């Protein structure tokens, strides 16, 4: 069977990558008779580019121009067999793509999630866990579907005390009510064995396509888990180091394609912190496609006003992780507050003290002001010490 998207992408070498070809073909499958102008709107491509992709897919035998654009029998077979869309409840799928509120069908999934969330393990605040609401977890799953990042994909949850893997699994079951869907794989990497055991138990009981791996992101990512995923979710520790590390591990786990989605949940922060965050995105070759303030809601997380934002990032041909080896910097909020760190400028090797009792309190502040000697904004931690109430303690 022809690999239509690869054939067209190789011929056109689109800047948007193979993901754009895939989405255009999928829109023709979901909306037979769609116009070229509507295809361009749906895929965010200029009309001439969308028309050119359409023509190449017609030449390849996947599409036909017939009262609008639609899939040929061969193109339909490709979408259903290779991407796993056979048996899709199209009306429910259409409702999810256009969702503006909870409908009756989604409310049934939410009721099940509420039962499962009530039994999940208690959060461990030492590793910055917090309980998102069942509504939030399901909203993330629907967002993944709306971004064409769920059906037929291998999706990763980099840390999953929010049970997003479970929400996606339950949503898939409703999307394919007759069963038999086996094209989607959902995987979890987490350090907390309590959540791993609970997610595995729920997956077995409800026959969800979820697999778990016990992983400590401070350690290098196992090679067997690198380069295999089509997108990932993460709600990392709300420190710059935590965000950078979790994004790095997720990037290592992704296959090497442009346009892959990264769903990042993160607390609302000051303009200075946000500037440092966006520098990290640029440094890792990620683009911001969308952001949704107050998207996530948490139970009892007063420190962040019970809300956080959702970013949709996309990979580019310059995407690289910032951290590949073992991670030794302060990671969680409590660690950052309790330690004094010495960073060395990667350009001139100047050493700078960073800590709550110092002129520069945080790494994001240091990256914003730059090295006092050369103005470079990349640093490496060379030493970490515990801070006691009266001054510096022993090295941590």
């Amino acid at each position: 069977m022809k690999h239509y998207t690869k054939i067209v992408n190789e011929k056109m070498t689109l800047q948007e990558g193979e993901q754009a070809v895939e989405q255009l073909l999928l829109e023709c499958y979901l909306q037979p008779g769609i116009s070229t102008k509507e295809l361009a709107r749906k895929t965010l491509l200029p009309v001439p580019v969308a028309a050119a992709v359409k023509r190449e897919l017609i030449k390849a035998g996947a599409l036909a121009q017939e009262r609008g654009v639609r899939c040929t029998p061969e193109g339909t077979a490709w979408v259903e067999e290779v991407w796993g869309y056979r048996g899709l409840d199209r009306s429910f799928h259409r409702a999810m793509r256009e969702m503006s509120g909870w409908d009756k069908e989604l409310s049934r999934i939410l009721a099940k999630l509420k039962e499962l969330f009530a039994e999940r393990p208690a959060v461990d605040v030492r590793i910055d866990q917090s309980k998102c609401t069942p509504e939030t977890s399901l909203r993330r799953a629907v967002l993944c579907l709306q971004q064409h990042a769920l059906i037929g994909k291998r999706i990763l949850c980099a840390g999953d005390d929010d049970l997003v893997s479970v929400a996606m699994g339950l949503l898939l079951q409703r999307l394919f009510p007759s069963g038999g869907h086996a094209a989607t794989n959902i995987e979890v990497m987490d350090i907390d064995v309590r959540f791993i055991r609970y997610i595995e138990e729920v997956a077995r009981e409800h026959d969800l396509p979820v697999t778990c791996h016990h992983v400590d992101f401070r350690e290098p990512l196992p090679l067997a888990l690198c380069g295999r995923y089509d997108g990932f979710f993460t709600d990392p520790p709300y420190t710059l180091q935590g965000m950078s590390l979790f994004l790095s591990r997720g990037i290592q786990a992704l296959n090497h394609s442009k346009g892959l989605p990264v769903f990042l949940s993160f607390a609302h922060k000051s303009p200075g912190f946000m500037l440092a965050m966006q520098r990290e995105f640029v440094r890792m070759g990620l683009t911001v496609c969308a952001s949704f303030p107050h998207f996530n809601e948490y139970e009892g997380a007063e420190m962040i006003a019970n809300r956080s934002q959702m970013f949709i990032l996309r990979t580019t041909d310059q995407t690289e992780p910032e951290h590949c080896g073992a991670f030794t910097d302060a990671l969680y909020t409590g660690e950052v507050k309790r330690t004094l760190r010495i960073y060395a400028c990667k350009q001139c090797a100047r050493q700078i003290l960073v800590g709550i009792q110092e002129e520069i309190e945080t790494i994001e502040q240091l990256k914003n002001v730059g090295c006092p000697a050369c103005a470079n904004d990349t640093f490496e931690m060379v030493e970490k010490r515990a801070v006691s109430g009266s001054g510096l303690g022993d090295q941590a």
Side-chain angles (χ1 to χ4, degrees):
M1 185 177 284
K2 294 180 181 178
H3 198 306
Y4 294 112
T5 58
K6 285 190 182 300
I7 291 171
V8 173
N9 188 56
E10 288 170 1
K11 283 188 175 182
M12 299 188 67
T13 59
L14 282 174
Q15 291 183 348
E16 293 81 4
E18 189 178 332
Q19 302 299 315
V21 182
E22 178 181 313
Q23 187 179 349
L24 190 142
L25 176 55
L26 186 56
E27 293 294 346
C28 295
Y29 170 80
L30 294 170
Q31 299 183 67
I34 190 171
S35 69
T36 303
K37 185 176 180 180
E38 183 65 7
L39 275 175
R41 190 182 72 82
K42 290 281 189 180
T43 57
L44 303 180
L45 293 171
V47 173
V49 176
V53 173
K54 177 194 71 175
R55 286 195 295 271
E56 291 298 330
L57 283 169
I58 290 172
K59 290 178 187 176
L63 295 182
Q65 184 81 49
E66 179 185 313
R67 299 187 306 278
V69 190
R70 60 187 68 239
C71 286
T72 61
E74 294 78 15
T76 297
W78 168 267
V79 173
E80 292 184 345
E81 294 173 24
V82 177
W83 291 346
Y85 276 77
R86 187 181 301 280
L88 176 71
D89 184 332
R90 291 196 179 215
S91 62
F92 179 71
H93 183 268
R94 188 180 307 111
M96 291 303 94
R97 293 182 72 188
E98 300 168 355
M99 190 186 80
S100 57
W102 302 112
D103 72 356
K104 184 169 66 175
E105 292 295 333
L106 212 53
S107 294
R108 291 189 182 126
I109 301 175
L110 182 59
K112 174 56 68 177
L113 272 179
K114 286 180 177 178
E115 293 176 12
L116 297 173
F117 271 54
E119 301 298 324
R120 63 180 163 170
V123 297
D124 186 345
V125 295
R126 296 172 300 174
I127 55 175
D128 286 4
Q129 288 180 347
S130 58
K131 286 186 174 180
C132 88
T133 63
E135 291 86 353
T136 292
S137 188
L138 187 51
R139 256 198 309 272
R140 292 178 187 176
V142 172
L143 181 65
C144 187
L145 176 71
Q146 291 170 335
Q147 294 293 314
H148 303 289
L150 180 59
I151 299 174
K153 303 297 185 181
R154 187 184 293 272
I155 187 83
L156 169 67
C157 295
D160 197 26
D161 54 290
D162 295 330
L163 306 188
V164 178
S165 59
V166 173
M168 289 192 288
L170 293 175
L171 181 60
L172 276 170
Q173 286 186 337
R174 178 59 190 83
L175 285 162
F176 297 90
S178 60
H181 176 77
T184 303
N185 294 283
I186 304 164
E187 300 190 27
V188 173
M189 296 182 196
D190 206 297
I191 192 174
D192 194 329
V193 294
R194 301 172 307 143
F195 276 93
I196 286 177
R197 288 171 183 159
Y198 185 64
I199 292 169
E200 287 177 335
E201 177 187 328
V202 170
R204 281 193 301 270
E205 182 179 345
H206 295 276
D207 194 26
L208 306 180
V210 179
T211 305
C212 294
H213 309 275
H214 182 236
V215 177
D216 182 352
F217 285 161
R218 290 182 184 272
E219 302 300 324
L221 196 66
L223 287 177
L225 298 177
C226 293
R228 56 184 284 169
Y229 299 94
D230 302 308
F232 71 92
F233 278 86
T234 191
D235 192 343
Y238 292 159
T239 63
L240 192 67
Q241 301 96 306
M243 185 207 72
S244 180
L245 177 63
F246 277 56
L247 284 181
S248 291
R249 297 300 185 233
I251 289 169
Q252 287 178 285
L254 291 178
N255 68 61
H256 303 293
S257 301
K258 292 187 291 186
L260 298 181
V262 176
F263 300 93
L264 168 66
S265 296
F266 208 81
H268 297 95
K269 292 285 190 175
S270 68
F273 194 110
M274 295 296 295
L275 176 61
M277 276 182 66
Q278 292 182 46
R279 282 179 169 160
E280 293 296 293
F281 298 159
V282 172
R283 189 173 288 120
M284 286 186 269
L286 297 169
T287 63
V288 180
C289 291
S291 63
F292 305 97
H294 309 294
F295 183 92
N296 304 294
E297 183 178 359
Y298 303 85
E299 300 172 6
E302 285 81 9
M303 289 295 292
I304 59 170
N306 304 101
R307 295 288 193 278
S308 76
Q309 56 196 320
M310 169 66 76
F311 292 95
I312 301 178
L313 312 175
R314 294 273 176 180
T315 59
T316 68
D317 53 7
Q318 298 179 47
T319 297
E320 294 287 343
E322 184 166 353
H323 306 285
C324 292
F327 185 84
T328 58
D329 202 346
L331 177 59
Y332 301 108
T333 304
E335 286 183 295
V336 171
K337 290 181 177 179
R338 291 195 310 266
T339 58
L340 172 105
R341 282 94 63 209
I342 301 176
Y343 290 92
C345 172
K346 286 188 175 180
Q347 183 164 288
C348 72
R350 171 76 175 267
Q351 294 193 346
I352 304 103
L353 290 173
V354 174
I356 198 164
Q357 299 174 350
E358 302 302 316
E359 183 178 348
I360 297 179
E361 296 184 6
T362 62
I363 183 61
E364 63 268 12
Q365 183 183 352
L366 175 60
K367 289 186 173 184
N368 282 344
V369 300
C371 173
C374 69
N376 175 56
D377 66 352
T378 57
F379 303 88
E380 181 179 12
M381 195 197 71
V382 296
E383 190 176 343
K384 180 174 66 174
R385 303 174 188 168
V387 177
S388 66
S390 56
L392 296 181
D394 297 330
Q395 182 171 332

